[in-house]
Amino acid sequence: MIKTISLKTSARTEMVDVTALVERELAGTGISEGRVILYVPHTTAAITINEGADPAVKADVLMMLNRIVPWEADYKHQEGNSPAHVKATLVGCSEAVLLSKGRLLLGTWQRIFFCEFDGPRNRQILLQVSSC
Amino acid sequence: MIKTISLKTSARTEMVDVTALVERELAGTGISEGRVILYVPHTTAAITINEGADPAVKADVLMMLNRIVPWEADYKHQEGNSPAHVKATLVGCSEAVLLSKGRLLLGTWQRIFFCEFDGPRNRQILLQVSSC
Amino acid sequence: MIKTISLKTSARTEMVDVTALVERELAGTGISEGRVILYVPHTTAAITINEGADPAVKADVLMMLNRIVPWEADYKHQEGNSPAHVKATLVGCSEAVLLSKGRLLLGTWQRIFFCEFDGPRNRQILLQVSSC
């Protein structure tokens, strides 16, 4: 029961709210109790759950990540995207969300975000729903 | 099999050892082999596993997180708690712990901590125990 | 179905590609569809998934982690390894990888790394394969 969500990012660093895309895949599974594992098969992207109501939050998260992991430093990797790899490790490529009565048990303010750290690119999220 | 742990934090940033609370919920499930997913349904809190023997460790983790994500910066979000949102993304809102013979397979020094980044508040941890 | 991978690290901070070790354990389980939970039972180590093709990437990740969490700061913990504990919380001690047709669903460039932050030491990774 593994599904793939495809998305196209539009900036070098970006947080894309994918909650509705995840919910759409869930609806097709018929599973109402269990959990969802979200997995990003990329090394310069990640997945996180954070506030979606005010877009300033994701702007602040991206701004601070850029400050914590600056684009210019003594990097050895020649592709110029080492900061994106570091951010991928800090934020992480998998996330678990619980499922009850067919709905994701997200908190009131929580939304699921795909984090692009080296875009724009075509990207994927793998999603596994399990019932036990 | 989703349980809810409620707790009340007492400081703006704080790491609360919730291992005993998690173990108490486990005992009621009758499941002895499998895993536990811990999920924090908040956007200014997180969950982590780290050393619990010396309280200086959690003090150092909180101190360093405050240094990495300073309270004052060029944040756009008007609520003044953007650093808490950034820390939530860095630390993460879910954690998996394995279960065998009815016990959490924590390492010798590991304890489970609820991370409060914008307290004090009433908070929750969702817990799902699965057997396969 | 919990397996243990043992490894010996050889530096104070180091990322060890353990993908082949994980795949070897998988082969013995007979499970071809499901997921793997990887869990590090240590408080000064972690697990991450990142690029393995160019060794400069892991060098850059380690370099930047050392810069984000400096060895010298106003730490209270007397053992001198507080930075390792902070990194463990930032990177995280568990990771989920999906499994299909007996293979890990890693992205093209993804490899699984054990992160040593206070070595060299003898270390372990717990691995649970589940089929549903």
Side-chain angles (χ1 to χ4, degrees):
Chain A
M1 188 77 76
I2 295 171
K3 310 265 188 174
T4 303
I5 293 173
S6 296
L7 69 159
K8 192 174 172 52
T9 58
S10 56
R12 189 162 197 194
T13 63
E14 183 182 8
M15 285 169 67
V16 183
D17 185 336
V18 295
T19 316
L21 297 175
V22 172
E23 286 169 339
R24 187 193 302 168
E25 295 299 331
L26 269 181
T29 64
I31 295 177
S32 60
E33 306 293 324
R35 83 203 68 86
V36 184
I37 305 286
L38 300 163
Y39 185 84
V40 169
H42 306 290
T43 59
T44 54
I47 195 141
T48 194
I49 294 172
N50 214 315
E51 190 194 304
D54 179 1
V57 171
K58 64 182 184 182
D60 286 346
V61 171
L62 291 170
M63 176 276 286
M64 189 47 60
L65 284 173
N66 279 333
R67 182 168 146 171
I68 295 168
V69 189
W71 282 102
E72 300 300 325
D74 186 24
Y75 299 115
K76 307 297 183 198
H77 184 48
Q78 297 295 316
E79 289 182 41
N81 62 357
S82 278
H85 288 290
V86 179
K87 290 171 187 171
T89 277
L90 290 175
V91 178
C93 70
S94 72
E95 200 63 78
V97 185
L98 305 183
L99 182 65
S100 184
K101 297 176 185 169
R103 294 179 54 246
L104 295 169
L105 290 187
L106 295 171
T108 311
W109 305 104
Q110 287 185 320
R111 303 289 288 178
I112 304 167
F113 291 95
F114 177 87
C115 302
E116 175 62 83
F117 295 134
D118 190 33
R121 297 204 201 192
N122 292 311
R123 298 291 203 175
Q124 294 188 318
I125 303 169
L126 305 182
L127 180 152
Q128 185 180 59
V129 190
S130 59
S131 59
C132 61
Chain B
M1 189 76 75
I2 295 171
K3 309 264 188 175
T4 303
I5 293 173
S6 295
L7 68 159
K8 190 172 172 54
T9 59
S10 57
R12 188 163 197 192
T13 64
E14 183 182 8
M15 284 169 67
V16 182
D17 186 336
V18 294
T19 315
L21 297 175
V22 172
E23 286 169 339
R24 187 192 302 169
E25 295 299 331
L26 270 180
T29 65
I31 295 177
S32 61
E33 305 292 324
R35 84 204 65 87
V36 183
I37 305 286
L38 300 163
Y39 185 84
V40 169
H42 306 291
T43 59
T44 53
I47 195 140
T48 194
I49 294 173
N50 215 315
E51 190 193 306
D54 179 2
V57 171
K58 65 182 185 180
D60 286 346
V61 170
L62 291 170
M63 176 276 286
M64 190 48 59
L65 285 173
N66 279 334
R67 182 168 145 170
I68 294 168
V69 188
W71 282 103
E72 299 300 324
D74 186 24
Y75 298 115
K76 306 297 182 197
H77 184 49
Q78 296 297 313
E79 289 182 42
N81 61 358
S82 278
H85 288 291
V86 178
K87 291 170 186 171
T89 277
L90 289 176
V91 177
C93 71
S94 71
E95 200 62 77
V97 185
L98 305 183
L99 184 63
S100 184
K101 298 176 185 168
R103 293 180 53 247
L104 295 169
L105 291 186
L106 295 171
T108 311
W109 304 105
Q110 287 185 321
R111 303 289 288 178
I112 305 167
F113 290 96
F114 177 87
C115 302
E116 174 61 82
F117 295 134
D118 189 35
R121 296 204 202 193
N122 292 309
R123 298 292 204 174
Q124 294 188 319
I125 303 169
L126 306 182
L127 181 154
Q128 186 180 59
V129 190
S130 58
S131 59
C132 60
Chain C
M1 189 75 77
I2 294 171
K3 310 264 189 176
T4 303
I5 293 173
S6 295
L7 69 159
K8 191 171 172 55
T9 58
S10 57
R12 188 161 198 194
T13 63
E14 183 182 9
M15 284 168 67
V16 182
D17 186 336
V18 294
T19 316
L21 297 174
V22 173
E23 287 169 340
R24 186 192 304 170
E25 294 299 331
L26 270 181
T29 65
I31 296 177
S32 60
E33 307 291 324
R35 84 203 67 85
V36 184
I37 305 286
L38 300 163
Y39 184 84
V40 169
H42 305 290
T43 59
T44 54
I47 195 141
T48 194
I49 293 173
N50 214 314
E51 190 193 305
D54 179 1
V57 171
K58 65 181 184 180
D60 285 347
V61 170
L62 291 170
M63 177 275 288
M64 190 48 60
L65 284 173
N66 279 333
R67 182 167 145 171
I68 294 168
V69 188
W71 282 102
E72 299 300 323
D74 186 24
Y75 298 116
K76 305 297 183 199
H77 184 49
Q78 297 296 316
E79 289 182 41
N81 61 358
S82 278
H85 288 291
V86 178
K87 291 170 187 173
T89 278
L90 289 176
V91 177
C93 71
S94 72
E95 200 63 78
V97 185
L98 304 183
L99 183 65
S100 184
K101 297 175 186 168
R103 293 178 54 246
L104 295 169
L105 290 185
L106 295 170
T108 310
W109 304 104
Q110 285 185 321
R111 303 289 288 178
I112 304 167
F113 291 96
F114 177 87
C115 302
E116 174 62 81
F117 295 135
D118 190 33
R121 297 203 201 193
N122 293 309
R123 298 291 204 175
Q124 295 188 317
I125 303 169
L126 305 182
L127 181 152
Q128 186 180 59
V129 190
S130 59
S131 60
C132 61

